Amino acid sequence: MEFQDRCKQSTRPKFDCLLFDLDDTLYPLSSGIAAECRKNIGEYMLEKLGIPPSKIDSLCTLLYKHYGTTMAGLRAIGYNFDNDDYHGFVHGRLPYDNIKPDPSLRHVLLSLPIRKMIFTNGDKAHAAKVLKRLGIEDCFEGIICFETLNPDSVAFATDNTSKIFDIEDYFTKINPSEELPKTPLLCKPNIDAMEHALKISNINPQRTIFFDDSIRNLQSGKRIGLHTVLVGTSQRAKGADYAIESMHNIKEALRKLWDEDTEISDDVICSAKVAIETSVTA
């Protein structure tokens, strides 16, 4: 019996889940989607929220830096808007044709019989369009997205007559007397958001590899126990256990992380039998 227990432990896969960011991770930054998204955010701030053009760039930078997404930051400092309207404006006009089908990525993903999940700050409609364009919509067990993390987030009417917190003025003060307002939205790289995502998805961070193009997302992932891979460069950064140029190099990362003291072949990586758990869809 003791021998059988040791045998089971030795053959148990080291990881049972692969967790993937979506944008600029499963497809390259060169698609131009990120730049178009940023452009649409600026236009939304101008047309829907009445923010002066001269303030948009600096405000976007501050909000993204301190809240994870511009959307979360806008809500934090007092702007009221309908979440679906925001996503429809920012994502609905993206040039999705720039994202091309990726049969090579599909082949790699399907060759890995291990639980695979998407974890994005974007909304479910955007995630669905991206995955369909790539031709990999059936490669994942579920999607953790904006709606997953914010199921009870209230959809506000566009009414911004309330006082807006001046975040730019806040950071000009040496010792500000008030605290930076908190956002009502959960998103990466917020630790609470990431822990909540893993909990509702029944993901064990110690047995999960997290792929993301954002260093700060990976750093938060490390803090909660995830094994991390930086996507988009071969240069490893703090918070990343490994770095790969693109998702086509995923097996390179798996060989490194699966067992750092042992060379792992494709056959070994692809032979792990993992139980399929309840799907988390948004």
Side-chain angles (χ1 to χ4, degrees):
M1 179 64 102
E2 182 180 349
F3 173 79
Q4 289 178 337
D5 289 342
R6 288 202 306 268
C7 183
K8 288 179 180 179
Q9 290 175 2
S10 64
T11 58
R12 184 189 185 195
K14 183 174 181 180
F15 300 104
D16 57 24
C17 183
L18 304 179
L19 187 63
F20 299 91
D21 174 49
L22 181 70
D23 297 302
D24 304 325
T25 296
L26 291 182
Y27 63 88
L29 178 65
S30 60
S31 68
I33 294 294
E36 288 298 315
C37 188
R38 170 65 184 80
K39 176 173 172 277
N40 291 346
I41 290 173
E43 290 180 1
Y44 186 88
M45 293 167 69
L46 174 65
E47 296 177 23
K48 298 296 187 80
L49 304 181
I51 298 173
S54 60
K55 298 186 66 174
I56 288 175
D57 285 342
S58 59
L59 186 56
C60 273
T61 300
L62 276 176
L63 297 179
Y64 179 79
K65 178 180 179 180
H66 293 282
Y67 291 101
T69 67
T70 304
M71 180 184 189
L74 288 168
R75 288 286 299 274
I77 63 175
Y79 284 100
N80 294 328
F81 49 85
D82 183 273
N83 296 328
D84 291 338
D85 182 64
Y86 179 92
H87 286 302
F89 191 102
V90 171
H91 292 143
R93 306 186 301 170
L94 290 175
Y96 287 104
D97 286 349
N98 289 6
I99 301 175
K100 305 303 180 184
D102 194 337
S104 295
L105 176 59
R106 176 180 175 80
H107 176 75
V108 170
L109 291 172
L110 290 178
S111 74
L112 299 169
I114 183 172
R115 188 184 189 206
K116 295 177 282 288
M117 297 284 294
I118 298 292
F119 184 15
T120 175
N121 282 333
D123 64 299
K124 61 183 178 181
H126 170 67
K129 288 178 183 177
V130 170
L131 294 175
K132 186 173 183 179
R133 284 295 305 169
L134 287 168
I136 57 174
E137 66 269 34
D138 58 340
C139 294
F140 302 92
E141 181 182 319
I143 301 172
I144 305 166
C145 61
F146 175 85
E147 290 90 342
T148 315
L149 292 178
N150 303 279
D152 301 319
S153 180
V154 178
F156 289 92
T158 306
D159 176 13
N160 292 300
T161 57
S162 59
K163 180 176 174 57
I164 302 300
F165 182 85
D166 191 340
I167 191 171
E168 293 180 295
D169 179 67
Y170 176 87
F171 284 106
T172 64
K173 300 174 182 176
I174 299 176
N175 294 304
S177 58
E178 54 189 334
E179 293 185 359
L180 199 62
K182 294 182 179 181
T183 180
L185 303 180
L186 285 177
C187 64
K188 297 182 290 183
N190 181 280
I191 292 291
D192 290 340
M194 300 187 73
E195 289 182 332
H196 182 58
L198 299 192
K199 182 178 180 180
I200 62 178
S201 307
N202 195 21
I203 293 173
N204 179 349
Q206 282 75 33
R207 292 174 53 76
T208 299
I209 304 177
F210 178 39
F211 298 82
D212 203 305
D213 66 299
S214 166
I215 293 173
R216 62 180 184 166
N217 288 349
L218 295 177
Q219 290 172 341
S220 292
K222 286 299 294 180
R223 288 176 61 188
I224 62 175
L226 290 164
H227 301 263
T228 56
V229 176
L230 177 62
V231 181
T233 176
S234 59
Q235 300 300 311
R236 217 175 89 186
K238 184 178 180 181
D241 295 314
Y242 201 68
I244 54 176
E245 289 283 354
S246 79
M247 288 307 305
H248 297 127
N249 307 116
I250 183 174
K251 288 187 177 179
E252 173 187 317
L254 293 182
R255 288 192 189 94
K256 175 66 177 177
L257 298 176
W258 205 273
D259 189 336
E260 294 186 349
D261 300 321
T262 306
E263 286 294 327
I264 304 297
S265 68
D266 286 352
D267 291 339
V268 173
I269 290 176
C270 298
S271 66
K273 295 185 182 299
V274 182
I276 300 299
E277 302 180 44
T278 304
S279 176
V280 178
T281 57

